[in-house]
Amino acid sequence: MQTVVDLGANIGLSATYFSELFPDAKILCIEPLAENQNVLRVNARKNWKLISCAISGEDGSASFGVSKWWGSGSIVDTIWRRRQALNNRFESTLAMAPRKVAAVTLDTLIAEHNIDSIDVLKMDIEGAEESVFAGSLNWLHSVRVLLIEIHDKYVDSNRIREILKARRFIRVGLGSPMGCEVYVNGELAVFEVEDKSD
């Protein structure tokens, strides 16, 4: 059975897409905001497991910058403040008070939910990917395919890509339908992919 982990599940659009691709997969939907979780529950399918937390480089809690537009928010304070300062963004016009959410590392998530391997890991966590890649990278060993939205305007995207390359993750194609970069773990792949990133 496939295991799909959707980090930043929001209201379940990506999870729905994965369910269509992999109808027998177990899908873990990681979403910290209660408003998104309410819609996620309505959209949920039998094979989804909803987990209420944010993903970070360390365990604990985080201050989540939110607005009345629930499609965007971040636990990275500098990103939230930069977005709030722009008049053309919902974070400015619809801003609300930040709220505390539980935050866990990927290592903790994997251990707490007895995940042996992750066939597909989707990561769209609004800039928190930088802290994830600055922390323990043990979780990378269990990931076969990584779909990641790297928020280039806010994070050191080259550093993340260098880490992935050093860990034998190979970028394939031009992206996914969700606007993410697609990487295959070269150590776990059952096929050879030519690395043309240089």
Side-chain angles (χ1 to χ4, degrees), residues 178-198:
M178 292 169 279
C180 299
E181 295 177 17
V182 181
Y183 291 86
V184 174
N185 185 335
E187 293 183 359
L188 298 179
V190 294
F191 55 89
E192 288 295 321
V193 178
E194 185 179 351
D195 183 358
K196 296 184 178 180
S197 61
D198 290 334

Side-chain angles (χ1 to χ4, degrees), residues 6-195:
D6 185 355
L7 306 179
N10 199 266
I11 63 171
L13 299 180
S14 295
T16 300
Y17 175 76
F18 292 131
S19 290
E20 293 298 318
L21 284 180
F22 313 113
D24 297 325
K26 176 175 70 173
I27 300 177
L28 279 69
C29 299
I30 316 304
E31 174 55 45
L33 296 181
E35 292 80 0
N36 287 339
Q37 292 167 19
N38 290 339
V39 182
L40 190 58
R41 281 187 201 92
V42 172
N43 292 333
R45 299 188 183 186
K46 290 186 298 185
N47 57 330
W48 296 12
K49 180 174 185 178
L50 281 52
I51 301 168
S52 177
C53 67
I55 298 298
S56 180
E58 56 186 43
D59 294 322
S61 64
S63 177
F64 203 114
V66 295
S67 73
K68 292 179 184 176
W69 181 57
W70 301 109
S72 178
S74 182
I75 63 170
V76 182
D77 187 59
T78 54
I79 293 175
W80 176 246
R81 289 184 188 280
R82 281 178 63 185
R83 289 176 171 176
Q84 260 194 319
L86 299 171
N87 292 333
N88 64 336
R89 289 202 58 110
F90 289 118
E91 291 90 339
S92 171
T93 57
L94 300 174
M96 298 174 68
R99 62 180 65 166
K100 288 285 183 193
V101 297
V104 300
T105 65
L106 273 168
D107 287 344
T108 298
L109 181 77
I110 287 168
E112 287 182 352
H113 296 278
N114 300 311
I115 302 169
D116 294 323
S117 66
I118 301 172
D119 295 288
V120 178
L121 174 68
K122 175 227 142 190
M123 183 183 296
D124 182 3
I125 52 177
E126 301 301 322
E129 64 270 16
E130 188 164 51
S131 71
V132 168
F133 278 87
S136 165
L137 298 174
N138 291 335
W139 57 274
L140 272 172
H141 297 296
S142 64
V143 176
R144 291 183 182 278
V145 176
L146 172 66
L147 307 177
I148 179 171
E149 182 174 351
I150 303 175
H151 294 78
D152 293 35
K153 288 188 286 189
Y154 307 111
V155 306
D156 185 353
S157 56
N158 288 331
R159 178 69 183 132
I160 293 172
R161 292 182 185 108
E162 287 168 6
I163 290 170
L164 288 169
K165 187 171 183 177
R167 297 291 177 123
R168 297 198 60 213
F169 275 77
I170 302 161
R171 185 172 177 181
V172 295
L174 296 175
S176 77
M178 292 169 279
C180 299
E181 295 177 17
V182 181
Y183 291 86
V184 174
N185 185 335
E187 293 183 359
L188 298 179
V190 294
F191 55 89
E192 288 295 321
V193 178
E194 185 179 351
D195 183 358

